[in-house]
Each structure stands twice: as structure tokens, then as C-alpha cells.
Amino acid sequence: GENVEQHPSTLSVQEGDSAVIKCTYSDSASNYFPWYKQELGKGPQLIIDIRSNVGEKKDQRIAVTLNKTAKHFSLHITETQPEDSAVYFCAALSGRDDKIIFGKGTRLHILP
Amino acid sequence: KAGVTQTPRYLIKTRGQQVTLSCSPISGHRSVSWYQQTPGQGLQFLFEYFSETQRNKGNFPGRFSGRQFSNSRSEMNVSTLELGDSALYLCASSGGASVSETQYFGPGTRLLVL
């Protein structure tokens, strides 16, 4: 079945530096790739998404890139701030069965 | 607009019991999906309902079931609870007919099975 691999599982960066989280997917028919942020005690919140007809999307300090040939996509957070500390999940919508498959998550720590 | 609400927020049950969790989607949303979140397996899809019909189902045993009412509120039921069912159960709602529409998650129900 569809599989989404996410790396790293934990990431620590200095405040103000950039953070990059990478994901790969197995289903070449996947066409929708959302990213979620989950803070302690809360449900995941969509922060950005990208569809297969574009290669990059940016929203202020957050950007996502998609390489369909290599079947990988990445989240870039620039000028990190303390409130960016959270668990981030990538996901892919399987083109075969219309299910959203999540990566295992990355715990991001922003160091003061 | 109020967000997705889930009740109860916390629940403790013992093995063999059954449990019913409730999810109220954002007003106007017709699609509700359920997920199980555990430290080991991450977020796993349980099922999705749209207009009272189960549209999709994940790879969970038949002990896990759900339903959706005409007002789009949804419930999920787990029968004959096992220790491994301890998890955070999340529901998400979306307004469109496809799961590629933005999904809005509730805070979850944390279930502990003893």
C-alpha cells in the first residue's frame, strides 16, 4: 500500500535558523500533499499544502517543494521562532484509494 | 465559526468494554474522517463518512465502527476493547466532497484501556 517516510524524527535548530523536513511517498498516483503542525494537547492543524501540478508553494516563512519524479516533498521553515516548536506531519493523498497517509512526524525544537 | 468538537476529551475503560466517541464537525461540513494516533504507529486512518455514508475505510478490525447522522455529527464505536486500543482518536471535518479539501481536526479524545 501507500507509504510515506518522514525524516528526521527529531530536529533541533537555533532560533532564527532554518528547518527542513523531508518526506518521500511510494504511490506515483498521489496528487495532494498537506503538512500539519500539532502542538501539545491539540489536534493537527494544516499549515500548508501542495498539489501535484506545482513544484513549490510559499506562505510567509513556510514553503513546500515537490519533486514528482523523485517522489519526495519537503517543508522549509525560515527564521524559526519559539512558537514553531511542535510536531510536524507530512501526508500524501493516495491516488488509488483516496486515503490520506501520514508520515510518522518530526518533533521540532527551537533552541533559544 | 466554531471548530471541530470531540467528546469526551478523556476516557478510561477496561479491557472487554466498549466505547463510543462523538465528533461534531464545523457547521456546513459534510465529510468527517476518523484517525487513531499512537506513538508507535503515528496517525492512521480509520474511516470517512460523507452525507451519512461510509465512503472509505482503513485497515482496522471490525471492532471499530462508525456512523454519521443527518446533521453530519459522527460517532465511532470500539467494541471489546484491547490494551492496544489506547490512543488519541482524532476526527477531522472538511467541507468538500473530496478528502483533498482542507481537513480541520478536533482536539481528540484520549482513550486509555486498562
Side-chain angles (χ1 to χ4, degrees):
Chain A
E2 167 74 289
N3 187 45
V4 176
E5 299 279 345
Q6 182 171 348
H7 300 280
S9 56
T10 306
L11 178 62
S12 296
V13 300
Q14 291 292 140
E15 183 178 347
D17 287 351
S18 296
V20 180
I21 302 171
K22 298 181 179 182
C23 290
T24 59
Y25 60 98
S26 59
D27 182 4
S28 56
S30 292
N31 54 19
Y32 173 64
F33 307 91
W35 285 88
Y36 290 88
K37 174 184 180 182
Q38 187 173 26
E39 296 174 312
L40 200 60
K42 297 183 179 180
Q45 179 184 11
L46 180 76
I47 55 172
I48 196 167
D49 57 12
I50 191 167
R51 298 183 189 273
S52 58
N53 57 346
V54 297
E56 185 174 359
K57 184 175 178 180
K58 191 174 181 181
D59 182 4
Q60 299 182 349
R61 297 186 296 109
I62 294 173
V64 57
T65 58
L66 171 65
N67 183 326
K68 284 185 63 180
T69 304
K71 290 191 283 187
H72 69 69
F73 55 115
S74 301
L75 178 71
H76 304 254
I77 305 174
T78 59
E79 300 171 10
T80 53
Q81 300 169 4
E83 53 265 36
D84 295 330
S85 292
V87 179
Y88 291 80
F89 293 93
C90 64
L93 176 62
S94 171
R96 293 175 191 165
D97 54 16
D98 214 28
K99 294 176 186 174
I100 291 188
I101 309 299
F102 285 83
K104 290 289 177 70
T106 296
R107 186 171 296 277
L108 176 63
H109 299 277
I110 305 301
L111 306 172
Chain B
K1 209 181 244 191
V4 177
T5 57
Q6 292 186 245
T7 56
R9 291 293 310 277
Y10 304 93
L11 207 48
I12 300 176
K13 292 285 187 179
T14 56
R15 278 181 301 173
Q17 287 187 309
Q18 75 162 13
V19 66
T20 299
L21 311 181
S22 181
C23 171
S24 293
I26 291 172
S27 178
H29 283 190
R30 294 164 62 192
S31 169
V32 173
S33 297
W34 287 91
Y35 296 86
Q36 182 194 65
Q37 185 175 27
T38 59
Q41 298 299 318
L43 274 155
Q44 291 189 288
F45 172 74
L46 280 156
F47 26 65
E48 188 232 347
Y49 287 87
F50 181 81
S51 293
E52 302 179 65
T53 301
Q54 187 181 86
R55 191 161 60 172
N56 216 336
K57 191 177 187 305
N59 299 322
F60 279 81
R63 300 184 297 108
F64 292 82
S65 63
R67 59 178 177 169
Q68 187 180 33
F69 302 95
S70 58
N71 61 357
S72 292
R73 190 178 69 86
S74 178
E75 289 181 347
M76 68 162 282
N77 183 275
V78 188
S79 62
T80 319
L81 284 165
E82 300 177 359
L83 296 179
D85 296 333
S86 294
L88 180 67
Y89 290 88
L90 293 158
C91 84
S93 76
S94 66
S98 168
V99 291
S100 66
E101 299 285 335
T102 299
Q103 290 196 314
Y104 297 86
F105 282 84
T109 293
R110 187 163 296 281
L111 171 65
L112 178 61
V113 182
L114 301 176

mmCIF file of all heavy atoms in Angstrom, chain A residues 17-39:
data_model
loop_
_atom_site.group_PDB
_atom_site.id
_atom_site.type_symbol
_atom_site.label_atom_id
_atom_site.label_comp_id
_atom_site.label_asym_id
_atom_site.label_seq_id
_atom_site.Cartn_x
_atom_site.Cartn_y
_atom_site.Cartn_z
ATOM 1 N N ASP A 17 17.347 30.344 12.709
ATOM 2 C CA ASP A 17 17.852 29.492 11.629
ATOM 3 C C ASP A 17 16.694 28.849 10.875
ATOM 4 O O ASP A 17 15.532 28.989 11.255
ATOM 5 C CB ASP A 17 18.782 28.408 12.178
ATOM 6 C CG ASP A 17 20.126 28.972 12.613
ATOM 7 O OD1 ASP A 17 20.392 30.171 12.335
ATOM 8 O OD2 ASP A 17 20.897 28.227 13.251
ATOM 9 N N SER A 18 17.033 28.125 9.804
ATOM 10 C CA SER A 18 16.013 27.445 9.003
ATOM 11 C C SER A 18 15.898 25.980 9.400
ATOM 12 O O SER A 18 16.855 25.379 9.901
ATOM 13 C CB SER A 18 16.358 27.543 7.515
ATOM 14 O OG SER A 18 16.338 28.880 7.080
ATOM 15 N N ALA A 19 14.707 25.422 9.186
ATOM 16 C CA ALA A 19 14.459 23.998 9.444
ATOM 17 C C ALA A 19 13.914 23.371 8.168
ATOM 18 O O ALA A 19 13.090 23.981 7.477
ATOM 19 C CB ALA A 19 13.465 23.827 10.589
ATOM 20 N N VAL A 20 14.382 22.158 7.877
ATOM 21 C CA VAL A 20 13.917 21.446 6.694
ATOM 22 C C VAL A 20 13.499 20.039 7.099
ATOM 23 O O VAL A 20 14.246 19.325 7.770
ATOM 24 C CB VAL A 20 15.004 21.350 5.609
ATOM 25 C CG1 VAL A 20 14.456 20.593 4.391
ATOM 26 C CG2 VAL A 20 15.484 22.734 5.204
ATOM 27 N N ILE A 21 12.307 19.652 6.703
ATOM 28 C CA ILE A 21 11.789 18.302 6.963
ATOM 29 C C ILE A 21 11.470 17.668 5.621
ATOM 30 O O ILE A 21 10.859 18.316 4.764
ATOM 31 C CB ILE A 21 10.530 18.357 7.852
ATOM 32 C CG1 ILE A 21 10.838 19.053 9.180
ATOM 33 C CG2 ILE A 21 9.990 16.952 8.106
ATOM 34 C CD1 ILE A 21 9.609 19.356 10.026
ATOM 35 N N LYS A 22 11.889 16.407 5.453
ATOM 36 C CA LYS A 22 11.754 15.763 4.152
ATOM 37 C C LYS A 22 10.853 14.533 4.225
ATOM 38 O O LYS A 22 10.882 13.796 5.224
ATOM 39 C CB LYS A 22 13.127 15.367 3.634
ATOM 40 C CG LYS A 22 14.055 16.557 3.418
ATOM 41 C CD LYS A 22 15.399 16.137 2.871
ATOM 42 C CE LYS A 22 16.287 17.357 2.643
ATOM 43 N NZ LYS A 22 17.598 17.007 2.061
ATOM 44 N N CYS A 23 10.092 14.332 3.162
ATOM 45 C CA CYS A 23 9.220 13.162 3.081
ATOM 46 C C CYS A 23 9.299 12.537 1.706
ATOM 47 O O CYS A 23 9.499 13.243 0.711
ATOM 48 C CB CYS A 23 7.763 13.560 3.366
ATOM 49 S SG CYS A 23 7.480 13.997 5.093
ATOM 50 N N THR A 24 9.163 11.225 1.669
ATOM 51 C CA THR A 24 9.063 10.518 0.400
ATOM 52 C C THR A 24 7.777 9.698 0.402
ATOM 53 O O THR A 24 7.303 9.292 1.466
ATOM 54 C CB THR A 24 10.262 9.578 0.173
ATOM 55 O OG1 THR A 24 10.318 8.624 1.250
ATOM 56 C CG2 THR A 24 11.562 10.344 0.131
ATOM 57 N N TYR A 25 7.224 9.484 -0.780
ATOM 58 C CA TYR A 25 5.996 8.712 -0.884
ATOM 59 C C TYR A 25 6.167 7.625 -1.936
ATOM 60 O O TYR A 25 7.046 7.719 -2.794
ATOM 61 C CB TYR A 25 4.799 9.616 -1.198
ATOM 62 C CG TYR A 25 4.903 10.399 -2.493
ATOM 63 C CD1 TYR A 25 4.295 9.953 -3.658
ATOM 64 C CD2 TYR A 25 5.592 11.612 -2.528
ATOM 65 C CE1 TYR A 25 4.364 10.682 -4.825
ATOM 66 C CE2 TYR A 25 5.679 12.345 -3.702
ATOM 67 C CZ TYR A 25 5.057 11.878 -4.842
ATOM 68 O OH TYR A 25 5.143 12.606 -6.007
ATOM 69 N N SER A 26 5.324 6.619 -1.859
ATOM 70 C CA SER A 26 5.521 5.469 -2.741
ATOM 71 C C SER A 26 4.534 5.432 -3.915
ATOM 72 O O SER A 26 4.850 4.867 -4.969
ATOM 73 C CB SER A 26 5.402 4.170 -1.934
ATOM 74 O OG SER A 26 4.126 4.081 -1.307
ATOM 75 N N ASP A 27 3.357 6.022 -3.741
ATOM 76 C CA ASP A 27 2.320 5.932 -4.772
ATOM 77 C C ASP A 27 2.488 7.051 -5.801
ATOM 78 O O ASP A 27 2.240 8.220 -5.501
ATOM 79 C CB ASP A 27 0.946 6.018 -4.108
ATOM 80 C CG ASP A 27 -0.203 5.893 -5.103
ATOM 81 O OD1 ASP A 27 0.061 5.658 -6.298
ATOM 82 O OD2 ASP A 27 -1.356 6.037 -4.677
ATOM 83 N N SER A 28 2.870 6.693 -7.000
ATOM 84 C CA SER A 28 3.104 7.706 -8.035
ATOM 85 C C SER A 28 1.815 8.423 -8.430
ATOM 86 O O SER A 28 1.856 9.466 -9.075
ATOM 87 C CB SER A 28 3.744 7.060 -9.269
ATOM 88 O OG SER A 28 2.939 5.990 -9.731
ATOM 89 N N ALA A 29 0.662 7.864 -8.054
ATOM 90 C CA ALA A 29 -0.614 8.499 -8.379
ATOM 91 C C ALA A 29 -1.040 9.526 -7.326
ATOM 92 O O ALA A 29 -2.065 10.187 -7.474
ATOM 93 C CB ALA A 29 -1.706 7.433 -8.514
ATOM 94 N N SER A 30 -0.246 9.687 -6.271
ATOM 95 C CA SER A 30 -0.576 10.685 -5.239
ATOM 96 C C SER A 30 -0.556 12.077 -5.846
ATOM 97 O O SER A 30 0.320 12.409 -6.649
ATOM 98 C CB SER A 30 0.438 10.611 -4.088
ATOM 99 O OG SER A 30 0.302 9.409 -3.382
ATOM 100 N N ASN A 31 -1.536 12.898 -5.458
ATOM 101 C CA ASN A 31 -1.632 14.209 -6.109
ATOM 102 C C ASN A 31 -1.871 15.367 -5.145
ATOM 103 O O ASN A 31 -2.069 16.507 -5.558
ATOM 104 C CB ASN A 31 -2.757 14.185 -7.154
ATOM 105 C CG ASN A 31 -4.077 13.733 -6.560
ATOM 106 O OD1 ASN A 31 -4.269 13.773 -5.347
ATOM 107 N ND2 ASN A 31 -4.985 13.297 -7.408
ATOM 108 N N TYR A 32 -1.877 15.074 -3.843
ATOM 109 C CA TYR A 32 -2.140 16.133 -2.868
ATOM 110 C C TYR A 32 -1.295 15.856 -1.637
ATOM 111 O O TYR A 32 -1.286 14.727 -1.118
ATOM 112 C CB TYR A 32 -3.633 16.153 -2.515
ATOM 113 C CG TYR A 32 -4.000 17.101 -1.396
ATOM 114 C CD1 TYR A 32 -3.835 18.479 -1.539
ATOM 115 C CD2 TYR A 32 -4.527 16.629 -0.195
ATOM 116 C CE1 TYR A 32 -4.168 19.348 -0.514
ATOM 117 C CE2 TYR A 32 -4.870 17.491 0.824
ATOM 118 C CZ TYR A 32 -4.690 18.847 0.669
ATOM 119 O OH TYR A 32 -5.028 19.703 1.682
ATOM 120 N N PHE A 33 -0.567 16.910 -1.176
ATOM 121 C CA PHE A 33 0.428 16.713 -0.116
ATOM 122 C C PHE A 33 0.278 17.816 0.937
ATOM 123 O O PHE A 33 0.835 18.905 0.799
ATOM 124 C CB PHE A 33 1.836 16.733 -0.714
ATOM 125 C CG PHE A 33 2.003 15.768 -1.855
ATOM 126 C CD1 PHE A 33 1.755 16.179 -3.155
ATOM 127 C CD2 PHE A 33 2.384 14.451 -1.631
ATOM 128 C CE1 PHE A 33 1.884 15.288 -4.220
ATOM 129 C CE2 PHE A 33 2.519 13.559 -2.678
ATOM 130 C CZ PHE A 33 2.263 13.974 -3.976
ATOM 131 N N PRO A 34 -0.463 17.547 2.005
ATOM 132 C CA PRO A 34 -0.608 18.549 3.070
ATOM 133 C C PRO A 34 0.454 18.368 4.155
ATOM 134 O O PRO A 34 0.995 17.269 4.348
ATOM 135 C CB PRO A 34 -2.003 18.241 3.621
ATOM 136 C CG PRO A 34 -2.200 16.778 3.381
ATOM 137 C CD PRO A 34 -1.387 16.418 2.160
ATOM 138 N N TRP A 35 0.730 19.446 4.850
ATOM 139 C CA TRP A 35 1.603 19.431 6.023
ATOM 140 C C TRP A 35 0.802 19.933 7.223
ATOM 141 O O TRP A 35 0.076 20.931 7.124
ATOM 142 C CB TRP A 35 2.813 20.341 5.820
ATOM 143 C CG TRP A 35 3.847 19.774 4.913
ATOM 144 C CD1 TRP A 35 3.915 19.889 3.562
ATOM 145 C CD2 TRP A 35 4.999 19.009 5.299
ATOM 146 N NE1 TRP A 35 5.022 19.237 3.072
ATOM 147 C CE2 TRP A 35 5.706 18.698 4.126
ATOM 148 C CE3 TRP A 35 5.508 18.568 6.534
ATOM 149 C CZ2 TRP A 35 6.888 17.948 4.127
ATOM 150 C CZ3 TRP A 35 6.684 17.834 6.537
ATOM 151 C CH2 TRP A 35 7.358 17.531 5.345
ATOM 152 N N TYR A 36 0.966 19.244 8.353
ATOM 153 C CA TYR A 36 0.241 19.598 9.564
ATOM 154 C C TYR A 36 1.208 19.876 10.700
ATOM 155 O O TYR A 36 2.275 19.274 10.791
ATOM 156 C CB TYR A 36 -0.694 18.460 9.996
ATOM 157 C CG TYR A 36 -1.872 18.253 9.075
ATOM 158 C CD1 TYR A 36 -1.781 17.418 7.969
ATOM 159 C CD2 TYR A 36 -3.077 18.893 9.317
ATOM 160 C CE1 TYR A 36 -2.855 17.227 7.123
ATOM 161 C CE2 TYR A 36 -4.167 18.705 8.478
ATOM 162 C CZ TYR A 36 -4.040 17.866 7.389
ATOM 163 O OH TYR A 36 -5.109 17.686 6.556
ATOM 164 N N LYS A 37 0.784 20.759 11.571
ATOM 165 C CA LYS A 37 1.537 21.082 12.790
ATOM 166 C C LYS A 37 0.666 20.686 13.977
ATOM 167 O O LYS A 37 -0.519 21.030 14.017
ATOM 168 C CB LYS A 37 1.828 22.583 12.834
ATOM 169 C CG LYS A 37 2.482 23.082 14.121
ATOM 170 C CD LYS A 37 2.632 24.610 14.068
ATOM 171 C CE LYS A 37 3.272 25.166 15.317
ATOM 172 N NZ LYS A 37 3.366 26.661 15.272
ATOM 173 N N GLN A 38 1.251 19.945 14.909
ATOM 174 C CA GLN A 38 0.495 19.537 16.089
ATOM 175 C C GLN A 38 1.191 20.004 17.353
ATOM 176 O O GLN A 38 2.326 19.604 17.635
ATOM 177 C CB GLN A 38 0.309 18.019 16.125
ATOM 178 C CG GLN A 38 -0.624 17.559 17.254
ATOM 179 C CD GLN A 38 -0.926 16.064 17.179
ATOM 180 O OE1 GLN A 38 -0.150 15.286 16.642
ATOM 181 N NE2 GLN A 38 -2.068 15.663 17.722
ATOM 182 N N GLU A 39 0.513 20.828 18.094
ATOM 183 C CA GLU A 39 1.032 21.306 19.373
ATOM 184 C C GLU A 39 0.472 20.434 20.489
ATOM 185 O O GLU A 39 -0.549 19.752 20.317
ATOM 186 C CB GLU A 39 0.663 22.776 19.571
ATOM 187 C CG GLU A 39 1.306 23.673 18.524
ATOM 188 C CD GLU A 39 0.835 25.117 18.607
ATOM 189 O OE1 GLU A 39 -0.379 25.335 18.686
ATOM 190 O OE2 GLU A 39 1.702 26.005 18.605
#
